[in-house]
Amino acid sequence: MQIQVNTDDHIQGGDSLVQWVRDEAGNRLARLKDHVTRLEVFLTDVDSAKSGVKDKRCRLEARVVNRQPVAVTAEADKMGTALIDAVEKLIRALDTDLGRVKDRNSRDTIRAAQDQA
């Protein structure tokens, strides 16, 4: 899984932040690595120089094999919390989306065959 990290001009951290984001997201999404080809992470500071409640935003866009991309957003007081919340939302969204492709006995459903056609 390729992980691309994008930040706005108000986010501090440089290479160490990018590496932490890649490690954290990669570890948390490890069980979905066969389904997700690329993850784009967008980190922004909503209020820029001012400090406020929930002023850090993390948007994740996951490119999923043979499915539409899945995007989620989370806001928090700290960037780390926003990232972790967004990854947890993404895991739930992917579980829901990918779960629709399988029936209760883990067999492909008719929808899966139609989606791939």
Side-chain angles (χ1 to χ4, degrees):
M1 169 178 24
Q2 178 185 8
I3 301 175
Q4 182 177 349
V5 180
N6 305 291
T7 62
D8 70 8
D9 295 337
H10 304 287
I11 301 296
Q12 305 293 320
D15 292 338
S16 62
L17 174 65
V18 169
Q19 190 58 48
W20 178 81
V21 168
R22 286 182 178 151
D23 291 344
E24 192 69 27
N27 290 337
R28 290 177 182 269
L29 293 169
R31 69 179 177 84
L32 298 167
K33 68 180 176 186
D34 293 337
H35 301 286
V36 178
T37 58
R38 187 174 80 206
L39 178 69
E40 290 195 54
V41 181
F42 299 90
L43 304 174
T44 56
D45 188 344
V46 179
D47 290 336
S48 62
K50 295 184 264 177
S51 180
V53 177
K54 293 193 175 191
D55 66 337
K56 306 294 189 270
R57 179 180 297 149
C58 178
R59 188 176 85 226
L60 302 177
E61 294 178 10
R63 304 293 191 259
V64 184
V65 176
N66 296 324
R67 308 290 292 163
Q68 292 293 318
V70 177
V72 296
T73 303
E75 294 180 350
D77 296 337
K78 296 181 180 182
M79 191 55 68
T81 305
L83 173 73
I84 291 168
D85 291 350
V87 170
E88 294 302 320
K89 280 185 181 182
L90 181 63
I91 290 169
R92 287 191 303 274
L94 290 172
D95 281 344
T96 299
D97 187 45
L98 295 170
R100 290 181 184 145
V101 178
K102 302 279 184 188
D103 70 2
R104 288 182 205 159
N105 297 317
S106 296
R107 297 179 301 221
D108 287 337
T109 65
I110 231 170
R111 285 188 184 161
Q114 290 174 350
D115 288 344
Q116 294 177 358

